[in-house]
Amino acid sequence: MASQVSMGAMMTCTFGVAPSTLVVLPKNKVLAEGPPAANIMDHIPIVNIPPFGMCNSMANPMVAAATAAALGALTPMPCIPVTSAPWVTGAPTVLLGNMPALDNLSKCLCNWGGAIAFTTAGTIKTMIP
């Protein structure tokens, strides 16, 4: 069973080197066990999805340039998430702010090829059917 995601949920990126925590602004006016609850539109880079330390994706132009300058040795560069699409799929039967609620099974894709997923939901008791 899926859990509702709220502010402080831990995330990882397949090309990031460190975990990050989701930031949810209280615009939906719904709290889940204290902190604001998230919906699928909480995918804005830096605002909702902070950096994951360093990026290892060769699709990232900064990593590609640094790797070329190092004569082909993979050179990670600072992560700057570029998430242009919302989280997929969310919970279509539960709406927050007229959008599906975000559950811990959802994924968000970075334009540099990374898949962002949750390791913890930020809630313990709030389950989504």
Side-chain angles (χ1 to χ4, degrees):
M1 172 134 328
S3 296
Q4 171 65 47
V5 170
S6 67
M7 170 99 143
M10 293 297 294
M11 307 174 289
T12 58
C13 176
T14 54
F15 287 114
V17 298
S20 188
T21 56
L22 182 70
V23 177
V24 181
L25 303 177
K27 64 182 187 228
N28 296 326
K29 300 178 181 148
V30 176
L31 302 178
E33 298 177 27
N39 69 19
I40 63 167
M41 298 308 290
D42 291 318
H43 69 93
I44 310 302
I46 310 300
V47 173
N48 299 119
I49 302 176
F52 295 91
M54 302 294 274
C55 180
N56 289 313
S57 174
M58 284 299 291
N60 182 335
M62 292 189 309
V63 175
T67 300
L71 304 175
L74 179 62
T75 307
M77 292 300 288
C79 169
I80 300 174
V82 181
T83 52
S84 54
W87 292 88
V88 178
T89 62
T93 59
V94 180
L95 299 181
L96 295 177
N98 293 325
M99 287 294 180
L102 186 58
D103 63 27
N104 63 326
L105 305 177
S106 300
K107 306 267 189 263
C108 191
L109 299 179
C110 179
N111 288 4
W112 308 138
I116 301 169
F118 292 103
T119 55
T120 62
T123 61
I124 297 169
K125 299 179 259 182
T126 309
M127 304 300 230
I128 296 179

